[in-house]
Amino acid sequence: MFAELNSILNSSPESFKQGEFILVSDRQTDASFLIHHFLSFYLRGCKVCFLGLVQSFSHYSAVSQRLGVSLNQAREKGQLVFLEGLKESLGVLLQGDTSNGTPALDFLRDPSSGLRGLYDFVHGNIRGSEGRAEDWGPPVLMVDDLSVVLSLGVSVGAVLDFSHYCRATFCSELQGTMVILVRCEAEEEEEESDEGSERLQRGLTHQCSLTLQVQGLPTGYCRDIHGEVEVCWRGRCDGLQIQRKLFQYKVCDKGTLFFARGTSSAVL
Amino acid sequence: MAAPSKSVGKSTGDRLSCNTTSFQKKSRSKLVSIPGTRPSVQNGQLIVSTGVTSLDYVIGGGLAVGTLLLIEEDRYDSYSRMLLKYFLAEGVVCGHELYVASAQDHPSDIIQELPSPILDDIASPKPVESQTKPCDPEGPDTMSIAWRYQNLPKVQTALASSSRFGHYYDVSKTMDPEICQAARCHGFYLPEHSATVSSSPAPPPTATGQSPMPEAYVALLKNLQEVIHREGFDGSLPQTKSRNVLRIGLHSLGSALWGDDLCCRDNPSHGHALTTLLYGLRALLRSSLSVALVTVPSHLIQNKALMGRITRLCDTAVALESFRGSERETNPLYKDYHGLLNVCQVPHLNCLVCDLPDNKDLAFKLKRKQFTIERLHLPPDLSETVSRVSHGGLAGAAMLGSSGCGSAGNKHLDF
């Protein structure tokens, strides 16, 4: 949990806004440090369902250890439900159509069938253990790298359907939170901006309530400033205007420093 | 599937069940000791050398076990092939097992062409710069702090160099056949396998009649998984067998010889075939003690976004651009080098931050005994540790000059 990011977003583990859909997107850089922040943030009091599609469980566990949260303990207590995409995927990819393995990764077998299996997995795990569901706060869904399913053949429409269903369940019905990471590759000004991950990012930006867009510095590579983050709150029905803030950041071993543009300690 | 074991975070020793990954935290009691590997100085990860010491330095010390190195080929596939051979030669010298897959050349031909390692007793005519490092010659064999100084020549006659990390190779000679025979090598040559692929019953068609990957890739993944499981790299064999690392070299994935039209068309029919293969490969690597090097002819892929996705699915990515045949070959700026090297991506593994290079303009040169990678331009010195007062000579004169009355000016600046 990064203290500076908490103050930027005006939230703390004791009081945060319910029913939020947070979209973390990056362009030609790596925004996974924000996912680690949100994971350790929400594990301080909520039940989390984490779809880790690109990294192994031990990776998140090692980083969270440095941020002060133990994922193993959370998983044993039932507070964390972790889907390890890499581990489950091999069986599905190589065994063809045998019905072993979780149906959550059915899209690997047949990409045109969409992410229905994944949604059923998420839905089932949030409803499970009814007796202890009241111990934790509202449920949280986190997806590390939803755009990797585009590389595996799923269409943009299917992914947007999945996020819409999840939003209806998590944000509207259960008043929980969703945090999704999407990665884009192309530059924004290129002509072929109709490419899959761009469309996905635009579609998800329309659905979400808070976006954090991470990109590299426009002036080039710098060793001490790793990039900039644009935080954008979308207006809600209570009339708040769309608010945008821009920060630069530097990732350290146990946290991240956020500072206003041009005020990095390397420059001053 | 076995029950998940709670071994992360405890001193794991040598236990590696198939449910934990090969990323082992540095445990206090004993480290996993495999010849040719060492724990990384940044986060204790087990790393191996790529065979080229300057490439090891540029990607952060070495290649972590369980990860994938992507090399974007240069136009004539000369230097990327060289890097693949260095990688495999390093595996032979360290005693690792090899797995080579190619659709173009037979794996045994590739193994026979590996460069020969430079043995210590004939290493005396080494370039001068390696001897200027001050080092205690009576020090212990393995240096844990000044490990880079281990490459100073010692008087040894045998090829007892597996305790070293990173070796040098002479590209004008090929490796001795005896050394090659000593290494265990598994090969996958696609034309041999395609006969079996076409004769086996076709996989049952899915609802749309299209499987996600062409048969060549499925065959490759299956063969690789079978080798990993049979030889016990994923921990399936009992503990009596000593641990080893499998080095996987995959040549020219995505080219037309693999049955993939990614490089031939703007809108390939199997647009996500290579990315699905890389995802499966990533899953295999994360659950076994292996490390992979993949070369991809990226200059043939028209779609830049697709290349970005391929890079995202690999851990470390390096792009080569050779000057041969281009107008840069005669450009005096580049006369010392054979090409440019771009480090596209360095992974963050088990930690928030990775060791970023301070300079991304790199050029390489293939000499007979060394593949050197050097920086091409110096960046502006913008860091927290730079002392601005000490550059007073030039800065002071600049300030004087800019105020308009630079009389006692510097000899460098003349207004």
Side-chain angles (χ1 to χ4, degrees):
Chain A
M1 191 169 68
F2 308 148
E4 288 175 5
L5 190 57
N6 283 343
S7 63
I8 289 173
L9 298 178
N10 287 329
S11 60
S12 70
E14 293 81 32
S15 69
F16 52 88
K17 222 190 303 185
Q18 312 273 11
E20 282 242 57
F21 178 178
I22 302 176
L23 177 71
V24 180
S25 72
D26 65 19
R27 186 177 301 280
Q28 296 184 337
T29 180
D30 192 3
S32 49
F33 65 98
L34 289 173
I35 291 287
H36 294 300
H37 157 81
F38 284 117
L39 181 59
S40 55
F41 179 89
Y42 286 114
L43 270 181
R44 291 189 198 244
C46 302
K47 179 168 170 143
V48 177
C49 177
F50 194 103
L51 307 181
L53 300 176
V54 285
Q55 295 281 13
S56 56
F57 176 75
S58 51
H59 167 82
Y60 296 104
S61 178
V63 181
S64 300
Q65 201 84 18
R66 292 184 195 219
L67 297 178
V69 174
S70 167
L71 291 196
N72 277 310
Q73 271 181 5
R75 197 159 64 161
E76 282 162 32
K77 281 191 294 189
Q79 190 189 7
L80 171 67
V81 176
F82 197 100
L83 171 71
E84 245 188 293
L86 285 177
K87 203 168 66 162
E88 316 279 342
S89 67
L90 266 185
V92 178
L93 272 179
L94 295 181
Q95 260 73 49
D97 64 346
T98 56
S99 49
N100 284 344
T102 54
L105 297 181
D106 263 352
F107 61 90
L108 283 174
R109 194 173 298 130
D110 180 18
S112 58
S113 65
L115 297 175
R116 181 75 204 219
L118 199 60
Y119 173 70
D120 289 335
F121 170 84
V122 165
H123 193 78
N125 273 295
I126 283 305
R127 300 290 188 190
S129 68
E130 279 299 338
R132 295 171 54 189
E134 271 48 70
D135 291 341
W136 311 114
V140 176
L141 171 69
M142 296 188 64
V143 185
D144 188 351
D145 211 354
L146 195 54
S147 49
V148 76
V149 300
L150 293 180
S151 304
L152 298 170
V154 182
S155 66
V156 176
V159 183
L160 288 174
D161 288 342
F162 168 77
S163 74
H164 178 75
Y165 269 76
C166 288
R167 184 169 77 130
T169 310
F170 278 85
C171 301
S172 310
E173 195 183 320
L174 298 172
Q175 288 296 304
T177 317
M178 267 170 71
V179 182
I180 291 192
L181 171 65
V182 173
R183 312 189 77 181
C184 311
E185 289 81 29
E187 295 284 332
E188 239 180 274
E189 299 85 28
E190 278 187 4
E191 307 84 48
E192 55 243 48
S193 60
D194 199 36
E195 194 264 327
S197 55
E198 289 290 323
R199 280 189 289 145
L200 177 63
Q201 198 232 354
R202 282 203 295 257
L204 287 176
T205 312
H206 179 76
Q207 292 180 4
C208 69
S209 59
L210 169 65
T211 67
L212 289 99
Q213 291 183 12
V214 181
Q215 49 198 32
L217 290 179
T219 45
Y221 171 73
C222 172
R223 192 177 186 186
D224 291 302
I225 305 174
H226 295 163
E228 44 186 40
V229 182
E230 186 180 350
V231 184
C232 179
W233 288 267
R234 300 191 66 227
R236 294 289 203 95
C237 42
D238 52 346
L240 276 173
Q241 297 297 320
I242 293 181
Q243 232 188 328
R244 280 178 201 264
K245 282 192 195 170
L246 186 67
F247 295 93
Q248 291 180 340
Y249 69 91
K250 176 178 176 171
V251 183
C252 309
D253 197 34
K254 290 200 182 215
T256 306
L257 300 168
F258 290 86
F259 37 84
R261 257 201 296 198
T263 60
S264 159
S265 51
V267 173
L268 290 178
Chain B
M1 299 256 279
S5 65
K6 313 180 185 82
S7 52
V8 176
K10 296 189 194 161
S11 57
T12 52
D14 281 357
R15 283 218 18 198
L16 182 73
S17 81
C18 56
N19 286 316
T20 60
T21 71
S22 55
F23 294 140
Q24 309 243 355
K25 285 184 71 160
K26 187 173 183 172
S27 48
R28 254 169 268 121
S29 55
K30 39 178 182 160
L31 303 167
V32 185
S33 59
I34 305 174
T37 68
R38 65 176 180 90
S40 155
V41 296
Q42 282 131 32
N43 48 13
Q45 206 100 270
L46 202 62
I47 59 176
V48 298
S49 167
T50 54
V52 179
T53 14
S54 35
L55 184 63
D56 285 341
Y57 177 66
V58 156
I59 60 177
L63 207 51
V65 173
T67 61
L68 175 60
L69 169 64
L70 169 75
I71 296 191
E72 297 185 28
E73 292 177 7
D74 53 309
R75 191 174 291 255
Y76 301 103
D77 192 24
S78 40
Y79 298 105
S80 45
R81 211 183 150 87
M82 203 64 233
L83 287 180
L84 177 66
K85 286 196 234 171
Y86 272 119
F87 180 74
L88 297 172
E90 182 72 23
V92 171
V93 168
C94 293
H96 299 157
E97 286 196 32
L98 303 179
Y99 181 98
V100 187
S102 168
Q104 193 179 342
D105 307 301
H106 201 279
S108 53
D109 291 340
I110 299 179
I111 297 295
Q112 276 161 16
E113 286 173 14
L114 294 183
S116 89
I118 295 178
L119 300 176
D120 295 332
D121 54 353
I122 57 172
S124 38
K126 252 180 138 75
V128 182
E129 47 268 17
S130 66
Q131 290 170 2
T132 57
K133 298 188 184 74
C135 174
D136 182 12
E138 282 86 44
D141 265 340
T142 56
M143 298 178 229
S144 57
I145 297 175
W147 59 272
R148 282 188 60 94
Y149 294 179
Q150 267 177 249
N151 295 331
L152 286 182
K154 296 188 198 125
V155 183
Q156 281 176 15
T157 52
L159 190 60
S161 43
S162 56
S163 58
R164 257 205 236 153
F165 187 83
H167 300 84
Y168 291 98
Y169 299 90
D170 188 344
V171 298
S172 58
K173 303 185 221 165
T174 56
M175 203 179 257
D176 266 339
E178 298 96 58
I179 309 180
C180 291
Q181 297 301 330
R184 299 207 50 193
C185 177
H186 310 271
F188 180 94
Y189 184 46
L190 185 64
E192 280 170 11
H193 278 260
S194 61
T196 55
V197 161
S198 56
S199 64
S200 65
T206 55
T208 58
Q210 194 181 21
S211 62
M213 278 197 282
E215 296 161 355
Y217 288 157
V218 177
L220 172 64
L221 260 188
K222 277 195 178 152
N223 185 284
L224 185 57
Q225 187 192 36
E226 190 217 348
V227 166
I228 286 178
H229 188 75
R230 191 179 66 216
E231 305 290 328
F233 290 105
D234 56 355
S236 54
L237 285 187
Q239 303 305 312
T240 51
K241 189 172 156 141
S242 63
R243 255 177 230 299
N244 205 352
V245 168
L246 177 69
R247 284 193 186 229
I248 303 169
L250 305 178
H251 182 244
S252 235
L253 282 186
S255 72
L257 291 172
W258 285 97
D260 194 359
D261 57 355
L262 193 65
C263 297
C264 314
R265 293 194 207 158
D266 283 342
N267 291 328
S269 54
H270 288 151
H272 45 268
L274 182 58
T275 45
T276 312
L277 169 73
L278 288 175
Y279 190 78
L281 188 58
R282 191 184 174 108
L284 269 177
L285 291 172
R286 290 287 196 268
S287 58
S288 62
L289 275 177
S290 47
V291 60
L293 184 144
V294 171
T295 68
V296 169
S298 65
H299 51 95
L300 297 176
I301 297 178
Q302 308 295 329
N303 196 344
K304 291 283 174 275
L306 184 55
M307 202 56 228
R309 280 198 211 149
I310 292 173
T311 308
R312 292 284 168 106
L313 280 169
C314 304
D315 297 296
T316 319
V318 163
L320 293 175
E321 184 192 334
S322 88
F323 296 146
R324 195 185 294 178
S326 72
E327 68 273 6
R328 290 185 189 178
E329 201 172 3
T330 48
N331 190 336
L333 178 63
Y334 299 124
K335 67 173 164 53
D336 290 330
Y337 302 108
H338 286 143
L340 297 178
L341 185 139
N342 181 22
V343 179
C344 310
Q345 183 175 272
V346 178
H348 312 268
L349 296 166
N350 291 353
C351 59
L352 270 177
V353 65
C354 61
D355 185 40
L356 292 173
D358 52 355
N359 186 1
K360 283 195 154 189
D361 297 315
L362 300 166
F364 67 86
K365 183 175 176 72
L366 176 62
K367 300 194 271 217
R368 187 166 77 94
K369 292 198 176 180
Q370 207 178 1
F371 186 99
T372 48
I373 299 172
E374 290 165 12
R375 67 167 76 132
L376 192 58
H377 311 290
L378 279 176
D381 198 358
L382 179 77
S383 75
E384 291 163 322
T385 52
V386 75
S387 154
R388 299 183 197 278
V389 185
S390 66
H391 292 241
L394 211 53
M399 280 197 309
L400 279 179
S402 63
S403 68
C405 48
S407 57
N410 202 317
K411 50 188 179 298
H412 303 295
L413 297 177
D414 190 51
F415 288 96

